[in-house]
Amino acid sequence: MSRIYNFSAGPATLPLAVLEQAQQEMTDWHGSGMSVMEMSHRGKEFISIAEKAEADLREVMNIPEHYKVLFLQGGASSQFAMVPLNLMGKARKADYFDTGAWSAKAIKEAARYGHVNIVASSKEQSYTTIPDRALWELNEDAAYVHFTPNETIGGLEFDTEPETGDVPLVADMSSSILSRPIDVDKYGIIYAGAQKNIGPAGLTIAIIREDLVGHAGPNTPAMMDYAIHDKAESMYNTPPTYGWYIAGLVFDWLLKNGGLTAMAEVNERKATALYDCVDNSGSFYSNPIDKPYRSWMNVPFIMADSSLDAAFLAGAAEAGLVQLKGHRSVGGMRASIYNAMPEEGVQALISYMQDFQQKNG
Ligand SMILES: *Cc1c(COP(=O)(O)O)cnc(C)c1O
């Protein structure tokens, strides 16, 4: 078997141990004689898988009991609409941070349902920094405050969550969930598409403080109403069963490997090593993000001479380092180094980058 180091931003690499377990269980899950893909979502086998996955996620993230955990479909992009549909209420206004491409998409969608106030924007700095706290314009009468803790495309990450007082804080945590311990209590809603740091595409997780469930407007489609999914325990319709199962294997893997404290240590080491390589290259490579806000998960970098990009990527692929091409809106390179990217993969990338510079610098 040969595995490469896959730096894709998403769908992204998964822990090998998880894939191997899924392989072993593929045609006969725990003596049931069935693949998980073939099970009724209402049968006792799948119910046990679903319950264990939720319990393990609660344990790994230390989610308090008064939070609901929903296993949904539609990706983070559907949450861009579900959040305002469920929370905007009568106020019909919400606060949004504008810190990158994903924030901007969330804002555009929310503006269909009410007034969006921009708390702060780093658009004029090409989204290379988090705006100074002193300049934030938070409204006490906003229905909620939305932010994107980690901007996957720009590689920009908040160092801590904004303090919003009594106004519920909503986070699009698609590319940073499970990357370090967080205090769930500080959030009203956390949502994430699974395909970055949880499992396969098709599953979306929403963690919702219970008092925020049940406020959808009258015209909200049933599939967009948190209360309907909550009441049905995420089985209002057929849930993404296989994705839910794989996510459960990932949660189990996290628990067996020291949980989020251990993940955070490794993630910080990986990111530091890669940024050091970029910073110590004498501007052969560079990263434009304000240092305190550099992402641990997505490391974009450009080369001073962009005519070398194609050679860099071709050589990387030959060395077993793939999916390093930067997002089409940014150019250059991007290495996504989620939990499942082993330290050896980052070290292999660093060695390759140093070697490439030596030959082309
Ligand atoms: C990938 C990503 C999205 C889009 O997710 P989908 O599941 O494709 O809708 C939204 N926000 C962030 C921060 C992302 O990284």
Side-chain angles (χ1 to χ4, degrees):
M1 185 195 62
S2 78
R3 289 276 293 170
I4 44 167
Y5 291 121
N6 171 9
F7 295 90
S8 170
T13 191
L14 285 165
L16 179 58
V18 164
L19 296 176
E20 285 174 342
Q21 187 177 346
Q23 180 181 44
Q24 223 172 28
E25 296 175 348
M26 174 61 76
T27 55
D28 177 10
W29 181 85
H30 293 204
S32 65
M34 290 181 274
S35 167
V36 175
M37 270 183 259
E38 303 168 304
M39 290 175 182
S40 162
H41 56 297
R42 308 207 186 272
K44 67 178 189 316
E45 294 90 352
F46 186 75
I47 295 286
S48 75
I49 290 169
E51 285 177 351
K52 177 170 164 32
E54 179 176 336
D56 285 353
L57 177 62
R58 285 180 176 276
E59 186 179 346
V60 81
M61 285 184 74
N62 200 11
I63 300 173
E65 251 177 68
H66 63 290
Y67 282 76
K68 307 288 190 178
V69 178
L70 303 182
F71 291 78
L72 307 171
Q73 308 193 41
S77 300
S78 291
Q79 295 305 309
F80 293 169
M82 271 176 95
V83 167
L85 280 166
N86 284 270
L87 294 195
M88 272 227 189
K90 292 196 184 71
R92 288 248 158 284
K93 52 184 173 184
D95 281 359
Y96 275 72
F97 282 89
D98 176 30
T99 54
W102 289 116
S103 298
K105 275 202 156 175
I107 289 165
K108 195 171 168 204
E109 187 69 10
R112 295 156 63 96
Y113 304 102
H115 177 74
V116 172
N117 168 61
I118 305 297
V119 178
S121 174
S122 52
K123 192 173 183 184
E124 290 197 352
Q125 290 82 38
S126 305
Y127 295 129
T128 53
T129 191
I130 302 294
D132 190 343
R133 258 146 238 264
L135 303 174
W136 293 359
E137 290 175 29
L138 290 158
N139 291 300
E140 268 169 34
D141 59 348
Y144 60 90
V145 180
H146 181 280
F147 83 121
T148 311
N150 184 64
E151 287 283 358
T152 321
I153 293 174
L156 177 74
E157 188 163 10
F158 276 75
D159 53 344
T160 58
E161 53 277 283
E163 294 287 341
T164 59
D166 289 338
V167 181
L169 181 63
V170 177
D172 172 5
M173 222 173 263
S174 294
S175 53
S176 53
I177 192 167
L178 305 174
S179 65
R180 62 176 89 190
I182 57 155
D183 190 352
V184 174
D185 246 329
K186 291 188 173 160
Y187 296 82
I189 298 183
I190 292 167
Y191 64 84
Q195 69 273 23
K196 276 74 183 248
N197 214 12
I198 299 174
L203 169 70
T204 310
I205 288 186
I207 301 164
I208 309 173
R209 211 176 65 208
E210 64 187 3
D211 61 289
L212 299 175
V213 175
H215 306 290
N219 294 328
T220 306
M223 281 295 288
M224 305 296 274
D225 186 339
Y226 289 135
I228 284 178
H229 288 290
D230 173 42
K231 189 155 170 264
E233 300 185 317
S234 303
M235 299 206 188
Y236 171 69
N237 71 330
T238 315
T241 51
Y242 201 76
W244 193 333
Y245 156 71
I246 298 284
L249 297 185
V250 170
F251 304 148
D252 188 60
W253 174 81
L254 288 168
L255 286 170
K256 286 183 178 132
N257 285 277
L260 300 192
T261 308
M263 284 301 134
E265 278 170 26
V266 176
N267 287 331
E268 185 171 22
R269 268 206 308 271
K270 288 188 298 189
T272 304
L274 190 46
Y275 286 115
D276 281 350
C277 166
V278 168
D279 290 343
N280 296 333
S281 69
S283 14
F284 185 81
Y285 303 109
S286 63
N287 168 281
I289 304 298
D290 211 5
K291 280 189 185 162
Y293 307 117
R294 283 173 159 182
S295 168
W296 283 8
M297 296 281 99
N298 311 97
V299 182
F301 57 93
I302 55 166
M303 286 192 286
D305 178 359
S306 63
S307 72
L308 293 172
D309 284 9
F312 179 94
L313 293 167
E318 249 167 61
L321 310 164
V322 302
Q323 305 272 6
L324 283 162
K325 197 172 159 70
H327 190 269
R328 57 193 183 278
S329 66
V330 178
M333 263 57 71
R334 171 176 54 172
S336 295
I337 49 175
Y338 301 115
N339 289 345
M341 172 57 64
E343 280 188 284
E344 302 81 67
V346 175
Q347 285 309 328
L349 173 60
I350 291 171
S351 300
Y352 171 72
M353 287 169 70
Q354 290 168 341
D355 190 50
F356 185 84
Q357 179 175 1
Q358 213 152 43
K359 287 183 183 136
N360 298 276

